[in-house]
Amino acid sequence: MRLLRLLVLLLVLPAYAQQGGMWIPSLLKGMNEKEMKSLGMKMSASDIYDVNHSSLKDAVPQFNGGCTSEVISSRGLLLTNHHCGFGEIQSHSTVEHDYLANGFWAMSLAEELPNPDLEVTFIVRIEDVTTQVLEGVASLTNEKDKQKKIQENISRLTNTLPKESWQGNSIRTFYEGNQYMRFVTETFEDVRLVGAPPSSIGKFGSDTDNWVWPRHTGDFSLFRIYAGKDNKPAKYSKDNVPYVPKHYFPVSIGGVKEDDFTMVFGYPGRTTEYLPAVAVEQIVNSLNPAKIEVRDAALKVADGFMRKDQAIKIQYAAKYAQIANYWKKWIGETQGLKKSNAVAIKKANEKDFLARVAKAGKQAEYGNLLADFEKNYNEIAPYALARDYFTEVVLRNTELLTTAYRLYQLEQIYNARGEQSFNDRRDNTILGLEEIYKNFNKNVDEKVFEQLIALYAAKSPKQFQPEILKGADLKAMTSEIYGSSKLTSYEGVKELLKGDAKTVIARLNEDKGYKLVKALTDAYNTNVAPKYDEINLRITGLQRTYMKGILELSPKDARIFPDANSTLRVTYGKVDGYQPKDATYYGPVTYLDGVMEKYIPGDYEFDVPQKLIDLYNKKDYGRYGENGKMPVCFIGTNHTTGGNSGSPAIDAKGNLIGLNFDRVWEGTMSDIYYDPSICRNIMVDMRYVLFIIEKYAGAKHLVDEMKVVTK
Ligand code: ARG
Ligand code: GLU
């Protein structure tokens, strides 16, 4: 059986071998152009990235630091995901005008809504600055000194490399410290909300369908970039005018079919594709299961309350979605790493690597690497686990603890920097906490605490835990804290923080919730953090050397791409279905019929708006339908990750055919191990986007503003 599977794998592999990877747009010419053309691309590398002429990159800004977006008209119309614009849509919503529930459509420029905290950033050009960044580093022997020197060089270069006054400079590392690139950027701060479908379209399927194919979500929203009269970035002003982009995407309603070339252009956040097997083993067997168990408990508690109480459901909706998103991803990732035998494959690759090291006579440089990894990962194991427990329990999922932690930072600031800093930080903290407490429910949090503190005491490495947890009656501790702590209400916190620093700190130290967090944090800072940082620094150094070795010694045609680092990347592949399990094949395109199959009237995840049902019943799809059916989403072999949300999916000629928003369940491990046979990205078909704008929302003026092409 095993052998057969391996054989099948080997036979299947060559067809897929040419896929995966997130490539640097300025280096496509040498590295990828030929392959992209062989997959069907009709453009040249310089159509995608060019410094002297406009190119596709001029239409792909990063959206608010975490997502991607694309310009789709000559007047700065901007497309991204519904889940990327969620915060803005929510912030304009009130009970009377609930844009999350009902959608929002500006019928003229005057109706577009400003967003004070939103910005988008374009890449003007990319330059290799490796030599400058590594100046004076080679002669240093100690990893800490090297890092320090590199940081100094980076800050100096960031401040001094030439650029226009309205532009920004940022320098990022590629290939784990083996290459450095400088990005000249332009950031626009006046970005207004133009349109959003109701959540029953934009978030259709919600958490149940999240990370899952077949998918039927119209995950898009529209914004517009505004500029000063000179077309340059400008602070918000009602006198600003729509930005005239250097390039914008024509929108194709020509449709997609299996095997079509696709390319996704965007800002993938973080991947770790070159970890040694021992690190992946640790993620699969220890770290992911721990994080999943903590979130599992927190989510179950919240879900129980949300199902019974409408007010709590609204309060916890966004938090729940956020916690659930990575909880679910880690589950899929762990399963996928196991099923694809990632650890065994990595081990085999490491053997090959060592053989090449020996053959090249480079034992002195690379011979001990893998043994050193083994040693350091074994050493870091309990610290890494303790760190994840601290992060998940104290910093993320128990709100009373998270709040207490922020107050403890106040005390630390006072000790380090005195009264003035304390006062400034206190004002900020009070302001920030108002939002938090709006969506805080003491009963929910108490139950979450009870569960999570029990997990912490039982499963976080005991040798690092504070005295206060040892042999403690955790049930009694829970009711004591939630019965007496001032941290269970916003009023209580404000009261705690009244007065001069000394008084506040004395009062804080009487509070039972505060005392617990102080004990947990002190234990963590003393017993875990220093050692973790020390070992991790060594691992960083090893990873850099390992990457260097891989670059140096791999076969000429090996596809070695740099890990994602939130910079602009190109990934490409084909529209393609996949086989998630035995005897099951998933086709690459979904249709509105599938929305209706999932329809559950009144359900918070699977309700469908009446107007959409009417359009479906009449098959009123206009020019967007295909053989009487309305396409909704499609998948491809593009290698994407978090941050690629909102990225344009581009056809062979450079037209926009889709909008990236997720990955398929069986392939969520692609951040660590990309298996081309089952890793797929999920995109909304642009025909569905235009159909919703024109037919559902009646905002045809927005479609008229675009350049719609049919091929
Ligand atoms: N999984 C997608 C991405 O990571 C979509 C997330 C949208 N949130 C949700 N809970 N459905 O971010
Ligand atoms: N939904 C993800 C995001 O917000 C993109 C999907 C992925 O992680 O592949 O960026």
Side-chain angles (χ1 to χ4, degrees), residues 521-561:
T521 308
D522 285 345
Y524 177 78
N525 284 345
T526 316
N527 303 338
V528 180
K531 196 74 189 166
Y532 178 88
D533 292 344
E534 178 198 318
I535 307 167
N536 195 43
L537 192 70
R538 290 204 294 270
I539 290 178
T540 306
L542 291 173
Q543 192 70 51
R544 186 180 58 229
T545 310
Y546 186 37
M547 195 71 237
K548 180 163 177 276
I550 291 174
L551 286 166
E552 237 171 72
L553 302 174
S554 295
K556 276 272 162 292
D557 57 350
R559 303 167 57 77
I560 306 167
F561 56 91

Side-chain angles (χ1 to χ4, degrees), residues 29-216:
K29 186 131 210 111
M31 293 183 93
N32 313 87
E33 190 181 45
K34 214 165 123 202
E35 182 180 284
M36 294 172 89
K37 286 188 168 162
S38 79
L39 286 166
M41 186 176 78
K42 301 279 188 290
M43 299 176 282
S44 68
S46 58
D47 291 327
I48 298 168
Y49 175 91
D50 198 347
V51 182
N52 303 313
H53 302 97
S54 69
S55 54
L56 300 192
K57 72 132 172 61
D58 297 317
V60 189
Q62 189 171 34
F63 186 85
N64 226 16
C67 281
T68 306
S69 53
E70 52 277 354
V71 185
I72 53 170
S73 90
S74 59
R75 299 163 72 200
L77 191 61
L78 192 71
L79 179 66
T80 189
N81 289 146
H82 184 267
H83 79 261
C84 295
F86 198 83
E88 284 70 31
I89 304 166
Q90 181 176 39
S91 77
H92 293 295
S93 294
T94 58
V95 177
E96 297 80 51
H97 300 284
D98 190 345
Y99 301 141
L100 281 178
N102 306 317
F104 167 78
W105 303 95
M107 288 301 161
S108 66
L109 292 183
E111 287 179 17
E112 297 178 354
L113 301 172
N115 303 287
D117 295 321
L118 176 59
E119 57 181 40
V120 300
T121 300
F122 290 89
I123 303 298
V124 180
R125 61 180 191 276
I126 307 172
E127 288 161 4
D128 191 312
V129 290
T130 311
T131 321
Q132 293 108 295
V133 170
L134 294 182
E135 213 176 86
V137 174
S139 57
L140 303 171
T141 48
N142 170 314
E143 187 60 36
K144 226 178 184 151
D145 296 339
K146 284 188 187 183
Q147 292 301 337
K148 190 161 160 260
K149 182 78 189 160
I150 290 171
Q151 283 319 316
E152 280 168 17
N153 287 347
I154 288 180
S155 358
R156 179 175 42 79
L157 291 163
T158 306
N159 290 327
T160 55
L161 285 173
K163 57 167 185 65
E164 304 294 343
S165 60
W166 65 87
Q167 297 177 329
N169 258 337
S170 85
I171 294 175
R172 296 295 180 76
T173 181
F174 291 73
Y175 294 111
E176 338 279 357
N178 285 283
Q179 187 178 26
Y180 288 84
M181 295 283 206
R182 170 226 190 182
F183 295 78
V184 177
T185 59
E186 281 179 9
T187 296
F188 288 80
E189 293 173 65
D190 187 351
V191 183
R192 304 183 196 171
L193 178 63
V194 173
S199 293
S200 50
I201 292 173
K203 204 177 152 68
F204 182 74
S206 195
D207 293 311
T208 299
D209 266 11
N210 192 21
W211 302 108
V212 167
W213 183 257
R215 187 66 153 276
H216 300 86

Side-chain angles (χ1 to χ4, degrees), residues 83 211 640-645 661-663:
H83 79 261
W211 302 108
T640 54
T641 187
N644 269 124
S645 273
F661 71 100
D662 211 356
R663 275 174 285 168

Side-chain angles (χ1 to χ4, degrees), residues 394-408:
V394 180
L395 302 184
R396 291 218 177 114
N397 293 307
T398 322
E399 287 188 281
L400 183 133
L401 299 183
T402 307
T403 303
Y405 181 81
R406 287 169 76 161
L407 303 188
Y408 184 41

Side-chain angles (χ1 to χ4, degrees), residues 274-285:
Y274 302 95
L275 290 177
V278 57
V280 177
E281 232 165 354
Q282 207 166 86
I283 291 170
V284 171
N285 297 331

